[in-house]
Amino acid sequence: MIQLKTLEAWFITGSQHLYGEETLQQVAAHAQTIAASLDAASNIPVRIVWKPVVKTPEEIYRVCQEANTTPGCIGIIAWMHTFSPAKMWIGGLKVLQRPLLHLHTQFNRDIPWGDIDMDFMNLNQSAHGDREFGFMQSRMRMNRRVVVGHWQEQDLQQELETWLRAAAGWHDWQGARFARIGDNMRQVAVTEGDKVEAELKFGYSVNGYGIGDVVAKVNAVSDEAIGRLVQEYEQAYQVAAPLRKGGDRHDSLRTAARIELGLRAFLEEGNFKGFTDTFEDLHGLDQLPGIAVQRLMADGYGFGGEGDWKTAALVRAMKVMGSGLPGGSSFMEDYTYHFDPENRLVLGAHMLEICASIADGKASCEVHPLGIGGKADPVRLVFNVTDGPAINASVIDMGNRFRLLVNNVQAVKPQHELPKLPVARVLWKPLPDMRTACAAWIQAGGAHHTCYSQHLTAAHMQDFADMAGIECVHIDEDTKLQQFRNELRWNEAYYLLNNR
């Protein structure tokens, strides 16, 4: 399970020796108070760790290097309580490899009108100390997040939470391993990509493994372990009568349980955070993994169908970012359309593999023919998805760069029963409207596979893209198609000129 409280962000305050020891003690006390308050805030997902005030180039360099090499440190929050000459920060910022949030705040919310004097002014200099610090970051062309406001304001803490969740997802990618079981679905373009460039850019690795490596684990599963997992299925889901003990398809449920246990053992042994498979490469498996993939995603693994490793990695990152929030995230695909002029909708689904973390109520465990893959009927969880705001996100390899594409959507409850569609499914209205959103998605080269999330927003994804140093394109309620196409053209020129 994903535990964000094992991670930490460092609260680093800048000053200088000019102001004397008494002022520096006040700076430290104020910084400790802010860090402790943020650390105790219920919506802050990671630990906020105060670090001693930095006053020299050597101290700044040392703390930045320490952040780089501390495994649990996902980023730094920097604040200039007083004036901290920015040339002191050059060395530290040059070596910093963690995401940076510049907090533009001050300790006092209000000006003490009747008591303010030059001592107060010398102590509370964030209004121009942070501008000095900001200049150096801009001069160095650094990607960073700037958050402005009083540190006790709920809006500021919400922005901080969003950035911290993005930083947690980015941190999780560093050194992550993803298994591509089998290869890509034959002749498909968008699920391919440059895995070497991805490792250079994103920090995770993708390597191929034969289906036989999984089959060996599946064949080694004991009957006792299968029995225990089948009991878990019966407690967690509405298991269809034919799959229950004594039913004529009970062996199918046991086969599905065997596949889950073997696949899980393969992933745990390899220390993988996500995986892909393909229905074109199932030699040695009786079924295409259905419920196995759904349950592994619910436990935090990333997944992409048909060899789509970019989506598998994105699903994992978004599950980390959303950990502890209501709702869930899942591998998804725009499958078919409802073109009623009064109620245009997208039906999102996949053959089998939609995560039950986004289910509306208790899922039904069923077995049905698949129609492709040439294997036995696979067991899967069937459910509708709750209504409400959500996003679809996709990472695309554009050849000269990676692009993150995000579309705001509004999920709606099904207006009719779907008795002959035995898969997990969700209906949504893409914003701003179906014509604009679909055209914009296609103009941007968006993939048919996405990560659908109920608990993240475009703000999380923008922060994440900034940390990765990649393009982020957002389709929302304000999108105008011609302006969107111009944005794509401008981005093309920008990334060509900057070689990024």
Side-chain angles (χ1 to χ4, degrees):
M1 298 296 289
I2 298 165
Q3 300 291 338
L4 295 187
K5 281 297 184 182
T6 63
L7 305 174
E8 57 190 43
W10 288 5
F11 193 93
I12 299 174
T13 309
S15 188
Q16 59 179 320
H17 284 295
L18 176 67
Y19 304 109
E21 188 59 30
E22 182 180 350
T23 296
L24 288 174
Q25 289 177 2
Q26 289 180 281
V27 168
H30 289 173
Q32 285 178 290
T33 298
I34 295 175
S37 177
L38 293 175
D39 183 55
S42 60
N43 63 326
I44 298 299
V46 306
R47 295 291 316 282
I48 305 298
V49 177
W50 173 81
K51 291 294 177 178
V53 177
V54 290
K55 307 168 290 296
T56 66
E58 294 75 19
E59 291 176 351
I60 294 168
Y61 183 88
R62 191 160 50 246
V63 76
C64 289
Q65 282 284 46
E66 187 183 354
N68 291 339
T69 58
T70 300
C73 177
I74 66 170
I76 68 172
I77 301 167
W79 171 49
M80 305 303 111
H81 191 319
T82 59
F83 197 81
S84 180
K87 286 174 66 177
M88 295 197 305
W89 286 85
I90 292 175
L93 293 179
K94 282 178 66 176
V95 301
L96 183 64
Q97 297 172 348
R98 294 290 193 252
L100 170 63
L101 181 138
H102 183 183
L103 181 61
H104 186 43
T105 190
Q106 65 182 29
F107 185 73
N108 292 75
R109 191 194 72 173
D110 302 327
I111 293 175
W113 304 106
D115 298 318
I116 187 169
D117 56 17
M118 285 310 301
D119 288 339
F120 181 93
M121 297 280 276
N122 284 331
L123 176 62
N124 296 280
Q125 296 192 50
S126 301
H128 71 293
D130 277 326
R131 282 170 168 78
E132 168 77 357
F133 183 55
F135 162 75
M136 186 52 66
Q137 295 167 83
S138 297
R139 176 68 176 79
M140 296 174 68
R141 307 302 195 268
M142 290 188 66
N143 282 334
R144 81 280 193 187
R145 181 77 155 87
V146 181
V147 175
V148 180
H150 192 256
W151 53 277
Q152 291 178 313
E153 292 174 356
Q154 189 60 41
D155 287 351
L156 181 142
Q157 292 187 12
Q158 182 63 55
E159 289 189 60
L160 181 58
E161 177 196 4
T162 296
W163 182 84
L164 289 168
R165 288 187 175 279
W170 176 248
H171 181 79
D172 185 75
W173 264 11
Q174 307 314 301
R177 304 180 69 221
F178 292 89
R180 201 181 197 197
I181 302 167
D183 200 356
N184 191 55
M185 183 178 174
R186 296 166 197 148
Q187 306 298 329
V188 177
V190 75
T191 53
E192 285 285 12
D194 188 336
K195 294 189 284 291
V196 174
E197 183 63 23
E199 188 164 354
L200 286 168
K201 194 70 176 173
F202 299 136
Y204 64 73
S205 63
V206 182
N207 290 291
Y209 295 84
I211 189 66
D213 296 330
V214 177
V215 170
K217 297 294 183 183
V218 171
N219 292 340
V221 173
S222 69
D223 288 341
E224 292 78 10
I226 293 171
R228 288 192 296 270
L229 185 54
V230 165
Q231 288 182 340
E232 185 177 331
Y233 290 166
E234 292 179 348
Q235 292 172 357
Y237 314 114
Q238 296 175 353
V239 178
L243 291 174
R244 291 184 174 273
K245 190 172 183 178
D248 60 358
R249 304 300 302 274
H250 185 63
D251 284 347
S252 295
L253 188 65
R254 291 183 62 84
T255 297
R258 181 185 292 276
I259 292 172
E260 178 184 337
L261 290 165
L263 181 54
R264 190 179 292 272
F266 169 81
L267 295 171
E268 290 176 351
E269 184 177 291
N271 195 30
F272 297 111
K273 291 183 176 179
F275 65 102
T276 73
D277 64 14
T278 172
F279 63 86
E280 291 183 317
D281 190 356
L282 295 173
H283 184 72
L285 290 183
D286 295 326
Q287 304 174 11
L288 175 64
I291 189 173
V293 173
Q294 292 176 296
R295 285 171 51 83
L296 285 163
M297 265 196 289
D299 286 343
Y301 284 96
F303 173 76
E306 292 90 55
D308 189 353
W309 52 270
K310 296 188 296 297
T311 301
L314 184 63
V315 169
R316 167 64 186 190
M318 291 174 71
K319 283 190 172 291
V320 172
M321 284 189 262
S323 178
L325 294 175
S329 295
S330 176
F331 172 67
M332 186 59 69
E333 179 172 284
D334 293 52
Y335 226 102
T336 195
Y337 292 144
H338 183 62
F339 268 129
D340 177 358
E342 303 301 320
N343 189 32
R344 291 188 173 95
L345 298 169
V346 177
L347 176 61
H350 205 252
M351 295 183 297
L352 303 171
E353 310 97 340
I354 302 298
C355 179
S357 67
I358 63 174
D360 185 9
K362 197 172 187 178
S364 174
C365 182
E366 304 176 13
V367 60
H368 300 277
L370 185 59
I372 56 177
K375 291 291 182 177
D377 301 343
V379 176
R380 81 291 300 270
L381 299 176
V382 177
F383 52 85
N384 291 320
V385 175
T386 187
D387 57 349
I391 60 170
N392 269 316
S394 178
V395 171
I396 312 127
D397 187 340
M398 296 297 294
N400 64 336
R401 67 187 185 280
F402 290 98
R403 169 180 288 164
L404 177 61
L405 183 57
V406 183
N407 185 199
N408 287 13
V409 305
Q410 182 69 33
V412 299
K413 289 184 178 296
Q415 297 174 320
H416 305 280
E417 296 296 320
L418 299 165
K420 296 183 179 180
L421 185 63
V423 295
R425 60 273 173 143
V426 55
L427 286 163
W428 68 76
K429 294 177 181 289
L431 299 180
D433 58 74
M434 193 157 161
R435 282 182 171 175
T436 302
C438 292
W441 190 274
I442 291 170
Q443 287 281 350
H448 57 284
H449 289 165
T450 64
C451 181
Y452 174 91
S453 180
Q454 300 164 326
H455 51 200
L456 298 178
T457 68
H460 293 93
M461 307 313 297
Q462 181 65 66
D463 280 344
F464 186 77
D466 288 343
M467 292 171 194
I470 64 171
E471 177 186 13
C472 186
V473 183
H474 185 202
I475 305 168
D476 65 4
E477 56 273 18
D478 297 321
T479 296
K480 305 295 183 186
L481 191 56
Q482 186 57 49
Q483 183 70 16
F484 183 83
R485 294 178 65 185
N486 285 338
E487 181 183 345
L488 296 178
R489 295 186 184 104
W490 299 331
N491 288 359
E492 190 71 37
Y494 170 83
Y495 283 96
L496 179 65
L497 291 172
N498 284 273
N499 193 29
R500 296 173 64 184

